[in-house]
Amino acid sequence: MVDIMGMVYGVLNAIFNPILAMDPNPANPALTVLIIAFIVSLITTIANKYLVDQDEMNEVQAKMKEFQNELRDAQKRGDGKKVAELQAKQPELMQEQSKMMTNQFKPMIVTFVPIILIFFWMRTSAIHNLVIILPKTVYWVTLTPLWHVLGSFLYGGEATIPYGIGWLLWYMICTFGMSQIIRKFLGFKQGF
């Protein structure tokens, strides 16, 4: 029987272990997680760029916003005729929005499996021991205490290092920042 997961982990080890080995602190590989976050952000952003028609999506969003503003204004004025007219147009707009939501899932279908595999690799590699000590302000702004409570509720135990976070929260912070930078670089008009 072929060990497919073993082969996948072998490929991921071949890709990411050299990055891990170059990390200045391999015992606490924060830089490696940052690089992996960049790679994953780049892959997902490029998939978004080429699989979703950004102009059409922005157009549909602008139509919805204009519709909602017109409806709100008509309701404030008490213009029942205008409200009824707008509500008659609503199913058509909702159908357009539903189509765009479906199109937004295309990149997720393409990127879901590779990202999950990378997560499993990170969980089984030296990265799972990563602890980052955040400055107090960043610790509170990122709602880290909330994540610690949630983690202790789901997995048991408690955070023992003051202002410390693990690899997953560090990865999420890095991915958010990297995604924003890459989206700006690739010319996206809007954020997430």
Side-chain angles (χ1 to χ4, degrees), residues 3-148:
D3 181 18
I4 294 175
M5 287 308 290
M7 291 177 4
V8 169
Y9 283 125
V11 169
L12 292 172
N13 281 332
I15 294 169
F16 293 119
N17 278 346
I19 298 170
L20 190 59
M22 290 188 306
D23 197 301
N25 188 0
N28 203 23
L31 183 61
T32 301
V33 174
L34 180 69
I35 293 169
I36 292 171
F38 174 77
I39 292 167
V40 170
S41 296
L42 184 64
I43 290 167
T44 57
T45 306
I46 288 173
N48 254 309
K49 176 96 172 158
Y50 292 107
L51 295 176
V52 176
D53 185 347
Q54 298 298 319
D55 294 330
E56 184 181 351
M57 185 178 73
N58 290 335
E59 185 180 310
V60 169
Q61 287 176 342
K63 277 184 190 178
M64 268 319 270
K65 188 174 183 180
E66 182 181 331
F67 170 80
Q68 290 169 346
N69 288 338
E70 284 183 39
L71 183 61
R72 190 173 23 253
D73 289 344
Q75 288 171 336
K76 283 182 183 177
R77 289 190 317 265
D79 187 351
K81 184 178 176 185
K82 184 70 172 176
V83 169
E85 180 184 315
L86 289 169
Q87 286 177 339
K89 290 168 97 178
Q90 191 170 14
E92 179 185 324
L93 286 171
M94 296 303 275
Q95 188 175 9
E96 280 185 53
Q97 190 174 29
S98 175
K99 179 183 167 196
M100 282 313 302
M101 294 292 277
T102 303
N103 285 338
Q104 286 179 311
F105 281 111
K106 287 180 188 176
M108 190 176 84
I109 292 168
V110 172
T111 61
F112 182 73
V113 171
I115 290 171
I116 292 300
L117 292 174
I118 290 170
F119 267 55
F120 282 129
W121 178 84
M122 290 170 69
R123 176 84 167 92
T124 59
S125 71
I127 290 172
H128 80 278
N129 293 324
L130 174 69
V131 175
I132 300 286
I133 307 300
L134 296 175
K136 289 181 184 180
T137 306
V138 174
Y139 178 81
W140 291 104
V141 168
T142 58
L143 304 175
T144 302
L146 175 66
W147 296 108
H148 283 176

